[in-house]
Amino acid sequence: MDKQQLSKDILKLVGGEENIDQVTHCMTRLRFNLNDNGKADKATLKNTPGVMGVMENGGQFQVIIGNDVPVVYNALVGNMSKSPEAKPSTSTEGGKKKNPLSAVFDFISGVFTPILPAITGAGMIKGIVALLLTFGWIDATSSTYIILSAIGDGAFYFLPIILGISTARKLGSNMYIGAAVGASVMHPTITALLAPGENVSFIGLPVVAATYASSVIPILIAVWLASYVEKAIDKVTHASLKLIVVPTVTLLIIVPVMMIAVGPLGVIIGNGLTDGINWLFNNAGLFAGLLVGGAFSLLIITGMHYALVPIMIGSIATLGYDYLIPLMMVANFAQAGSALGVSLKSKNKQIKSLSASTGVTALMGITEPAMYGVNMRFKKPFVAALIGAAISGAFISFFQTKAYVMGGLAGLSGIPMIIGPTFVYALIGIVIAVVASAILTYILGFEDVPEAVPAATTTASAEPVTPVAADVNSSASAVSAIEEEKAQDQEVFSPMTGEVKPLSEVPDPAFSEEIMGKGFAIQPTEGRVVSPINGTVFSLSKSGHAIGLVSDNGAEMLIHIGIDTVKLKGQFFSPKVQAGAKVAVGDVLMEFDREEIEKAGYTTITPVIVTNMHQYESIVSAGRTAIKEQELLYTAKA
């Protein structure tokens, strides 16, 4: 697959560069903040080869790519004239204000997604160090242990600085002022000054003792306030003084405010959330695990799981363990189990292969391909995964299973996170999640795809073009007398002037995978369609984008002008014939405004296909790449 072309297609289909406020990516998804989600062509994106699915969550427009997302992201950024991360996020979505909940999820997601590699890498090192220490392969007093521990602890200890940068970037303010705010409260002299029991004041105002190392909420609030202060000062400062005045005044205001008010408040909120979660699991462990474990995949779908990240980090930083991470892990393993259950149950070789490969990927912690490409598509496997995760969640919570570090994906690669006193229960819970979900999937069953149906449906939520299907299906009754006759070779002449393309280049699986029929496509250079055969017009869509024909020799044909052009509802199309009309090669069938259709964001590539291919053995190309009206395009061999 050409990742460069895929990135160009995605850029166009999300509404172009001017519609992109920000874009980042996680392990499997491109995450867009669009100025107007309504400008994105969601239906076409779903059917674009290389795209596994499209979702709108927490104010973000998400395009699911899979493991190749970093390559596609880099290609996408390379095709943009401005940095997609240099813009401040907006408070609108599609011209409307975001609801507060979506705004919060969008903010948290935008802050934590870019820093996950640093946290993940550091967390994995902490896990490896714990493993080495457990098996006695390293001495806790050795310099090697001290250095490795520092590498693992560094990102967490100085988390306020890292979050200061990421939060400022998300808010569109100066990232280095954000870093300076975090660095100020992490300075060794401040840390010593704020030791418990010390009476500290600043210009007569009391400074409450607080520990900022590994903290999350205080820096989020402080940098959020700093973004307003910075912008306000910038507006009233002369251009020649901005470099000196803006950062100086911002730091002089925000750092003291953080130490006097924001820091203590943030610590209270963070500790309250941590204590609340721990109280829930300590007093209602089984039921808490049942509920949270079963719902975690739903949280991931909605993007709400990002709201739990500060709680996870805070728990590990203050208590040394966390209850939520193991539940996230078993939810992921349950998705893997369901996908593997589909592989065992399905009779379709391509579905078996798809579900097995995505199941293995999910075992490693990357669940989107399995979740969206298999389980949610077949519905019942997704339900089975939720039940399997709930059962496993109840088990591990009953034994108060914990994670002791944060890092790595919530799959097999994240095993070091759960190494500790409850490690055995965590492993048993993982096995329960996989096995229970696979068995439930097998028992509940699902509507399998018959072997004869090509695997175009491997793209999550891919939907064939409904008007096309209706046109093709209607051909059966329209030509019932003809189709009983023995088929003859059918020459198909070009209905338009343009460039001949293979169907594989049509951005719709219904055509590119030859589900609707076989033939070729034409990228038109003129806005006119003429009849490619001698025969009858048996259908003409109300929107004008699709024309059904049957030749005098019995070949049923479809000419589909553009992809998703049904949405134009007839605009820019001018039919010249009606259903039932007799036509000859070269008779004008349709005129359309090619330029206006493309300006509206639609491709005008036009499949010209034979839909009753069961009566023909093959399609033989005439060998042309550039073609004019009425020149031979291909022959359907009987």
Side-chain angles (χ1 to χ4, degrees):
M1 183 187 303
D2 187 344
K3 304 299 188 300
Q4 186 65 234
Q5 184 58 49
L6 175 60
S7 69
K8 291 179 181 178
D9 293 341
I10 292 172
L11 184 61
K12 177 181 178 182
L13 293 171
V14 297
E17 181 178 350
E18 64 278 3
N19 194 37
I20 298 175
D21 180 50
Q22 286 185 328
V23 58
T24 58
H25 73 88
C26 56
M27 294 300 296
T28 58
R29 312 183 199 186
L30 293 172
R31 296 174 176 270
F32 291 93
N33 289 88
L34 301 180
N35 296 318
D36 185 352
N37 283 5
K39 291 182 179 180
D41 191 343
K42 191 173 180 179
T44 304
L45 264 173
K46 284 183 178 180
N47 291 333
T48 299
V51 174
M52 303 193 72
V54 177
M55 300 200 61
E56 294 182 61
N57 287 321
Q60 284 189 333
F61 189 89
Q62 302 173 5
V63 181
I64 303 164
I65 303 296
N67 296 342
D68 290 329
V69 70
V71 180
V72 177
Y73 173 80
N74 290 335
L76 179 78
V77 172
N79 289 323
M80 297 176 66
S81 59
K82 297 179 181 178
S83 170
E85 296 189 6
K87 305 172 185 177
S89 61
T90 62
S91 60
T92 60
E93 179 184 328
K96 302 177 182 179
K97 283 187 175 288
K98 291 181 182 177
N99 66 68
L101 191 61
S102 292
V104 170
F105 291 150
D106 172 51
F107 173 69
I108 295 175
S109 171
V111 169
F112 281 94
T113 297
I115 72 169
L116 284 178
I119 295 176
T120 297
M124 284 298 293
I125 292 170
K126 285 170 67 71
I128 292 170
V129 171
L131 188 64
L132 294 174
L133 197 62
T134 300
F135 288 98
W137 295 336
I138 193 171
D139 188 344
T141 61
S142 69
S143 58
T144 300
Y145 171 81
I146 294 172
I147 292 172
L148 287 176
S149 295
I151 296 172
D153 290 334
F156 292 96
Y157 185 84
F158 293 103
L159 192 60
I161 299 175
I162 298 174
L163 281 174
I165 294 171
S166 185
T167 305
R169 180 203 59 81
K170 174 63 179 174
L171 295 171
S173 55
N174 190 295
M175 294 185 291
Y176 304 103
I177 292 179
V181 172
S184 298
V185 296
M186 289 302 299
H187 195 281
T189 57
I190 296 295
T191 302
L193 184 66
L194 297 180
E198 296 290 335
N199 293 321
V200 182
S201 64
F202 178 76
I203 58 172
L205 297 173
V207 176
V208 180
T211 302
Y212 293 99
S214 303
S215 65
V216 173
I217 294 178
I219 191 68
L220 294 179
I221 298 174
V223 176
W224 174 67
L225 291 174
S227 69
Y228 287 97
V229 173
E230 179 187 339
K231 291 168 187 174
I233 298 170
D234 185 78
K235 286 182 180 179
V236 299
T237 305
H238 189 274
S240 62
L241 299 173
K242 287 182 187 290
L243 181 62
I244 299 173
V245 174
V246 174
T248 302
V249 177
T250 301
L251 289 172
L252 283 174
I253 293 174
I254 291 300
V255 176
V257 167
M258 181 177 181
M259 296 174 64
I260 294 168
V262 173
L265 176 62
V267 170
I268 291 171
I269 294 173
N271 290 341
L273 291 172
T274 299
D275 292 343
I277 291 292
N278 285 308
W279 181 91
L280 179 65
F281 282 94
N282 288 331
N283 292 275
L286 188 149
F287 298 103
L290 183 77
L291 178 63
V292 178
F296 223 111
S297 291
L298 298 175
L299 296 179
I300 292 172
I301 290 173
T302 60
M304 293 174 64
H305 65 298
Y306 278 103
L308 301 177
V309 173
I311 299 175
M312 296 175 186
I313 295 174
S315 293
I316 291 176
T318 58
L319 301 175
Y321 60 81
D322 175 66
Y323 287 114
L324 294 174
I325 293 173
L327 291 171
M328 180 168 60
M329 293 183 70
V330 297
N332 283 359
F333 279 109
Q335 293 293 335
S338 285
L340 295 174
V342 171
S343 181
L344 293 172
K345 183 83 171 178
S346 177
K347 303 299 182 183
N348 185 308
K349 292 180 180 178
Q350 291 172 316
I351 295 299
K352 288 176 78 72
S353 175
L354 171 72
S355 53
S357 62
T358 57
V360 171
T361 303
L363 288 174
M364 298 306 297
I366 302 174
T367 58
E368 280 88 347
M371 187 186 298
Y372 297 112
V374 177
N375 298 340
M376 290 183 68
R377 175 191 162 199
F378 291 113
K379 299 180 179 64
K380 288 183 180 179
F382 184 71
V383 174
L386 298 183
I387 297 172
I391 295 171
S392 177
F395 173 84
I396 64 174
S397 295
F398 180 78
F399 291 100
Q400 296 188 340
T401 305
K402 307 174 181 70
Y404 300 92
V405 296
M406 185 170 185
L409 297 171
L412 291 176
S413 62
I415 292 294
M417 294 190 293
I418 55 176
I419 294 176
T422 58
F423 182 53
V424 173
Y425 300 118
L427 291 182
I428 295 173
I430 288 170
V431 173
I432 291 174
V434 175
V435 174
S437 300
I439 292 175
L440 285 169
T441 297
Y442 200 91
I443 293 173
L444 293 176
F446 50 89
E447 188 175 346
D448 200 5
V449 177
E451 187 69 48
V453 178
T457 49
T458 58
T459 309
S461 304
E463 299 173 0
V465 184
T466 303
V468 176
D471 290 342
V472 174
N473 291 336
S474 67
S475 67
S477 57
V479 294
S480 57
I482 297 176
E483 66 181 358
E484 295 301 324
E485 300 177 4
K486 181 176 175 60
Q488 303 176 33
D489 287 358
Q490 177 65 58
E491 290 185 327
V492 177
F493 298 90
S494 179
M496 54 179 57
T497 298
E499 185 179 356
V500 179
K501 302 281 188 181
L503 288 179
S504 60
E505 293 189 19
V506 178
D508 187 325
F511 298 111
S512 63
E513 301 290 345
E514 299 184 339
I515 295 176
M516 309 305 300
K518 294 185 178 182
F520 286 85
I522 299 174
Q523 185 65 60
T525 55
E526 298 178 2
R528 191 169 81 151
V529 180
V530 302
S531 177
I533 47 91
N534 297 324
T536 304
V537 178
F538 71 77
S539 71
L540 181 65
S541 65
K542 291 181 181 180
S543 58
H545 75 290
I547 306 166
L549 302 162
V550 58
S551 76
D552 293 338
N553 292 335
E556 300 169 27
M557 299 200 61
L558 174 68
I559 303 172
H560 194 280
I561 307 167
I563 301 301
D564 277 343
T565 44
V566 63
K567 295 178 181 179
L568 293 172
K569 298 180 180 180
Q571 188 179 15
F572 310 131
F573 291 94
S574 178
K576 301 303 179 184
V577 294
Q578 295 180 343
K582 292 287 291 181
V583 292
V585 173
D587 288 351
V588 179
L589 304 177
M590 177 76 64
E591 291 181 353
F592 61 96
D593 194 327
R594 180 180 61 85
E595 293 182 355
E596 288 300 318
I597 292 172
E598 291 177 349
K599 283 181 182 178
Y602 298 90
T603 176
T604 54
I605 191 169
T606 301
V608 182
I609 61 175
V610 174
T611 58
N612 59 334
M613 278 304 299
H614 62 282
Q615 295 187 9
Y616 297 90
E617 291 185 357
S618 62
I619 296 292
V620 179
S621 171
R624 292 184 171 90
T625 54
I627 200 165
K628 295 181 179 179
E629 290 179 3
Q630 302 184 53
E631 290 183 340
L632 183 63
L633 178 61
Y634 61 82
T635 301
K637 290 289 186 179

